[in-house]
Amino acid sequence: IMNLKDKINEDLKNAMKAGDKIKTETLRSLRAIIIEFDKSGAGREMNADEEIKALTSSAKKRREAIELYDANNRPELAEKERQELAIIQEYLPQQLTREEISARAAAIISEVGAAGPHDSNKVMPALMKEMKGKADGKLVQEIVREQLSALASK
């Protein structure tokens, strides 16, 4: 199994040969994060958790940019960010669906005995630990908030 660094370098070579500008740019930005880590003095390669964290952070930056560009009516810029996000997601674990996140959230809510929105701090840490790299934190938070609000209104 190739580590992330080797896979990105390999894919970068192929993207450059293919003349795929967006993929080349995106992979270069990911490679820069890895190089930065290598130079950080950790004295080792990134581990799987750190790889996922770096990819998740890159994906989050793209999502925030998409929101911003959409809000400011810049569809061409939003589209470029969407393409970059799609490329980054190829390196992340399969993203969970809203239904899957919802089911897991419901299970954890009942496990910790959460009763309403004020119990979000009991639910989120456990849920995010499980969802690491597999779901957007903002979406997880939204689902938890909905479920806890529904409990409180019963």
Side-chain angles (χ1 to χ4, degrees):
I1 290 178
M2 248 191 249
N3 68 10
L4 184 66
K5 183 172 159 182
D6 296 338
K7 184 162 176 35
I8 285 176
N9 284 331
E10 187 63 31
D11 292 350
L12 180 57
K13 266 187 261 169
N14 295 334
M16 286 164 74
K17 278 184 198 155
D20 185 335
K21 207 171 147 238
I22 290 201
K23 192 164 194 169
T24 299
E25 270 178 44
T26 307
L27 293 176
R28 277 195 177 131
S29 77
L30 293 177
R31 193 178 66 172
I33 294 168
I34 295 169
I35 291 170
E36 204 175 295
F37 180 88
D38 288 345
K39 290 181 177 170
S40 72
R44 58 178 173 77
E45 298 272 310
M46 279 182 146
N47 63 34
D49 272 355
E50 290 160 338
E51 289 176 352
I52 286 180
K53 197 173 167 189
L55 290 167
T56 304
S57 162
S58 294
K60 184 180 180 190
K61 283 182 186 141
R62 299 317 188 284
R63 277 192 204 93
E64 288 168 353
I66 291 166
E67 255 177 55
L68 204 64
Y69 290 140
D70 280 344
N72 292 302
N73 199 19
R74 297 295 305 271
E76 70 292 347
L77 293 172
E79 181 49 36
K80 180 179 183 286
E81 297 288 337
R82 279 192 181 87
Q83 291 172 348
E84 289 184 9
L85 179 59
I87 293 165
I88 293 166
Q89 283 176 326
E90 291 172 19
Y91 297 92
L92 278 167
Q94 179 66 47
Q95 297 294 291
L96 297 169
T97 65
R98 189 179 183 97
E99 292 69 40
E100 290 168 325
I101 298 167
S102 213
R104 231 12 239 139
I108 287 179
I109 286 170
S110 85
E111 278 168 31
V112 300
H118 59 280
D119 289 327
S120 164
N121 60 346
K122 292 180 187 169
V123 180
M124 282 304 288
L127 193 55
M128 281 315 289
K129 189 173 179 192
E130 219 173 275
M131 305 271 154
K132 196 174 193 169
K134 298 183 200 150
D136 175 31
K138 208 184 233 183
L139 177 62
V140 175
Q141 198 169 19
E142 185 184 305
I143 291 169
V144 168
R145 200 176 300 125
E146 284 168 11
Q147 290 189 7
L148 290 174
S149 295
L151 279 178
S153 63
K154 276 182 190 166

